[in-house]
Amino acid sequence: MQPLARSALTWLLRLLGLAITMLAAAFAMFAALNLSPGDPASRLAGPRASALTVDAIRHQLGLDQPLSTRFWDWLTGLFHGDLGTSLTYRQSVSSLLGPRVADTLLLVGYAAVLIVVFGVGLGIWSALSRRTGTVVTAFTSVGLALPAFVAASALVALLSVKVHWFPALGGGGPSLADRLYHLTLPAVTLAIAWAAYLAQITRAAIREEAGREHVETARSRALPAARILRRHILRNAMIPISTAVGLTVGGLIAADVVVEQAFGLNGLGAALVAAVAQKDTPVVQAVGLLMVVVFIVVNAATDLLQAALDPRIRAVSSR
């Protein structure tokens, strides 16, 4: 088989694997939600409704159908852009979640930038500077152990209530600058633990690469320190760092739930909490599916980045 055809077949198999993974994750999520305790029909009918009324609502919602039939109907609806109808608000899930997606993605993107900049920056700084290494390690250890709701309370008390630098609630006005200003405290809260984790991964990766034989050889040849750092240390260290970045960004959507509740943001996290409390299964399914898709896509992008950074991975993939 020619190399080009082999490469095309490899990418085709990868795409097929991604599709199977998404399908399996979607079914597992759908089954778990629909088999969990609680009956949406009973909640909609009210506590005084008769059994006939509850059965009629169950039939209207299709809840009396087998699980496989309901999943197939939901899956085929997805391909037509139909995420279902909210049981609580009686409107399409896509129109209900549409405005919230932008707010959540902006918050997650803001936090991701902070995580990469400060996580990688602190990790490099602590790995190259012996004086600051202990301080940064202590800081990252505290950041990893700090729960998001505790960090949110501390930041609001200090930066919002005491010094009035940032607002404590709300998503801001229509302009991007105002929205970023209002999202600063939520983004920092979301970024603290993940940035600490990334800083520790970066520090360990750089120190490991700095002790390699080829780096010592480069130093013995009196090459400039900046060139050694850029071409011999950072390039190889970016492989585990990129893996950590992928896991971090993929997990931000799930961690966003707590932060949105703490700061009163009207994003996907707040919609998910409300939908779970109200047993609004279509909304929970849509948000859960979005989380799964984002995580899988981010990890696939991470694999592509690693293949670009390491020729050995490209060689294995092309075989």
Side-chain angles (χ1 to χ4, degrees):
M1 184 179 295
Q2 297 296 323
L4 184 60
R6 189 186 301 117
S7 178
L9 179 61
T10 300
W11 286 112
L12 182 62
L13 291 176
R14 284 189 175 186
L15 291 176
L16 181 61
L18 286 177
I20 294 174
T21 302
M22 289 184 182
L23 182 63
F27 179 76
M29 177 194 64
F30 185 90
L33 288 173
N34 284 272
L35 296 177
S36 62
D39 185 8
S42 299
R43 188 190 64 80
L44 291 174
R48 298 183 180 181
S50 64
L52 290 177
T53 301
V54 174
D55 290 340
I57 294 176
R58 287 181 57 83
H59 179 72
Q60 181 183 4
L61 297 177
L63 298 177
D64 55 348
Q65 298 293 324
L67 180 65
S68 58
T69 303
R70 281 183 282 160
F71 176 72
W72 177 252
D73 292 339
W74 178 69
L75 187 64
T76 53
L78 291 179
F79 289 108
H80 293 87
D82 182 15
L83 297 176
T85 302
S86 169
L87 303 180
T88 302
Y89 300 100
R90 290 301 183 179
Q91 68 178 103
S92 66
V93 175
S94 56
S95 64
L96 178 65
L97 298 181
R100 300 169 182 257
V101 171
D103 293 335
T104 296
L105 291 182
L106 184 60
L107 172 59
V108 169
Y110 193 178
V113 171
L114 295 177
I115 290 169
V116 173
V117 171
F118 288 98
V120 176
L122 286 175
I124 294 174
W125 188 24
S126 62
L128 300 179
S129 176
R130 295 181 179 179
R131 296 180 180 179
T132 59
T134 304
V135 176
V136 173
T137 301
F139 170 77
T140 55
S141 298
V142 172
L144 279 171
L146 191 65
F149 66 90
V150 175
S153 301
L155 289 174
V156 168
L158 178 61
L159 300 180
S160 181
V161 176
K162 188 174 181 61
V163 298
H164 305 288
W165 286 357
F166 299 99
L169 297 173
S175 68
L176 179 61
D178 189 58
R179 293 175 69 184
L180 290 177
Y181 172 64
H182 280 75
L183 289 176
T184 296
L185 287 188
V188 171
T189 302
L190 191 58
I192 288 177
W194 291 105
Y197 163 74
L198 186 58
Q200 291 193 351
I201 296 294
T202 302
R203 179 174 180 267
I206 289 180
R207 287 201 166 184
E208 180 179 357
E209 291 299 327
R212 300 279 188 184
E213 183 177 352
H214 68 278
V215 175
E216 296 295 336
T217 302
R219 287 172 180 160
S220 67
R221 295 172 57 190
L223 294 178
R227 182 180 178 184
I228 295 175
L229 175 63
R230 184 178 66 255
R231 299 188 60 179
H232 298 279
I233 297 178
L234 283 181
R235 184 176 179 85
N236 293 327
M238 283 304 298
I239 297 173
I241 292 173
S242 63
T243 302
V245 170
L247 294 174
T248 297
V249 175
L252 284 179
I253 293 287
D256 168 73
V257 175
V258 176
V259 175
E260 286 192 6
Q261 286 295 107
F263 288 94
L265 299 175
N266 193 28
L268 291 178
L272 178 62
V273 172
V276 170
Q278 298 163 354
K279 196 62 180 179
D280 198 342
T281 309
V283 176
V284 179
Q285 289 170 176
V287 177
L289 179 65
L290 178 62
M291 292 180 177
V292 169
V293 170
V294 168
F295 189 82
I296 292 175
V297 169
V298 168
N299 279 275
T302 302
D303 292 340
L304 293 177
L305 178 61
Q306 289 182 341
L309 292 173
D310 193 348
R312 294 170 298 180
I313 297 178
R314 293 199 300 270
V316 172
S317 300
S318 62
R319 290 178 182 175

